[in-house]
Amino acid sequence: MKYWIGMLCLLLAGCRAEFNREQEMYAWLNDPEHGLRADKTLEDLSLQVKYLPPDYLVYRELKGKAYTRRTVDSLRAQYRNTRTFLLTVAFNESTSPSGNVLFYGVNDPREYKQRIEQLNFSIGDYVSVRAGGKEFRPLLSTFENLYTVGNKRTLYLVFGEDEHHQGLLGADSLDFTFNDLIFESGINHFAFRKENLDNIPKIDFWAY
C-alpha cells in the first residue's frame, strides 16, 4: 500500500508540499504541466498567459524589503481576493524575425501611438475572464516591461469580484479570453482549472 501511495504522490503535483529554493519555485510555476501557464503559437505571434499565485505576489512585492507579519497578512488577504495573470505577446521565433513586437503590423506613427494607448489605457476592452457563467473585466491593468525578456511585451492583469459579479474565485474553470484587435490575431482562449490555481506548494524558503 505504501508503495502505491508513494507512486501516486510522484504523479500528482499537489503532493509537493513546499518550495525549498527560489529557482525551484520559478521552474515549477513556469512548467505548463502544472496548469498555471497556457501558450498559443500563431503564424507570426506567440501568446502566453500565466497565473500568478497570491503567495508568489506577496513574496515578489516584499523581496529585499523590511516587512512585518502584519504587512504580509494584509497583502496576502488582498491578493487572495483576486486572480492575477500575465499576458505576454512576442514574435513566433520559428517564423518571424526578432525585433520589437509593438511594431508588428504597424504602418505609420499614428497606428503605433494608437497601439500604445490601447495597451496602456483600454486593454479591458479586449481581455476578459469568463467564470461561472459570468464575464469579468480586469480591475487593474499595467503594461510593463518588468517581466520582459528580449522582444516580449507583457501585460499585468488583475481580476476580482464586486457586488454585481460574483463567482470568479469559486468557479471550477476559467476561460481567459484575448479578443485581439490590437495585433489582429483573432479571438484567443486560454483555459485554467481552479484545482491547479489553488493547489500550489508553500514557499518554504521565505520567512512567512
Side-chain angles (χ1 to χ4, degrees):
M1 177 63 73
K2 290 183 179 180
Y3 170 81
W4 291 111
I5 292 175
M7 290 298 294
L8 183 61
C9 283
L10 290 175
L11 295 173
L12 298 178
C15 287
R16 176 185 288 278
E18 58 194 30
F19 297 122
N20 297 311
R21 295 180 296 116
E22 186 179 54
Q23 297 90 335
E24 180 184 49
M25 175 186 71
Y26 284 118
W28 196 94
L29 295 177
N30 281 288
D31 187 342
E33 292 296 321
H34 297 138
L36 306 187
R37 169 183 160 183
D39 299 84
K40 186 173 184 179
T41 301
L42 306 170
E43 183 176 355
D44 296 317
L45 298 175
S46 175
L47 305 177
Q48 180 189 104
V49 178
K50 184 164 61 175
Y51 176 71
L52 301 183
D55 283 353
Y56 165 76
L57 291 169
V58 175
Y59 169 74
R60 187 195 68 172
E61 184 163 338
L62 297 180
K63 181 182 178 182
K65 301 178 182 178
Y67 57 86
T68 65
R69 183 55 185 261
R70 182 176 180 180
T71 302
V72 173
D73 290 343
S74 176
L75 285 173
R76 184 171 285 144
Q78 173 187 330
Y79 287 128
R80 283 182 175 173
N81 286 322
T82 59
R83 294 290 193 192
T84 302
F85 295 89
L86 286 181
L87 168 62
T88 300
V89 182
F91 279 119
N92 178 357
E93 295 181 356
S94 64
T95 61
S96 301
S98 61
N100 190 342
V101 72
L102 294 177
F103 290 110
Y104 175 73
V106 167
N107 297 307
D108 54 52
R110 180 189 60 81
E111 291 185 0
Y112 179 79
K113 180 181 178 181
Q114 180 183 17
R115 174 167 292 173
I116 296 300
E117 290 177 349
Q118 289 172 316
L119 291 168
N120 276 291
F121 305 114
S122 59
I123 190 64
D125 295 336
Y126 311 102
V127 172
S128 66
V129 167
R130 191 160 188 84
K134 297 181 180 179
E135 185 179 61
F136 297 82
R137 296 287 176 173
L139 302 176
L140 172 68
S141 63
T142 305
F143 175 55
E144 55 184 24
N145 290 327
L146 180 61
Y147 304 94
T148 297
V149 177
N151 66 346
K152 299 177 181 179
R153 294 297 178 266
T154 303
L155 283 149
Y156 177 88
L157 302 155
V158 180
F159 298 83
E161 301 178 343
D162 58 33
E163 58 181 333
H164 303 295
H165 292 78
Q166 299 287 324
L168 174 67
L169 301 177
D172 291 334
S173 61
L174 283 74
D175 175 18
F176 184 107
T177 303
F178 179 30
N179 183 14
D180 182 16
L181 301 177
I182 301 175
F183 299 93
E184 299 185 352
S185 67
I187 300 177
N188 303 284
H189 294 274
F190 303 85
F192 295 89
R193 304 269 325 157
K194 183 179 188 299
E195 59 186 329
N196 294 325
L197 305 187
D198 291 347
N199 292 292
I200 299 170
K202 176 184 176 182
I203 301 177
D204 190 58
F205 59 84
W206 190 42
Y208 293 103

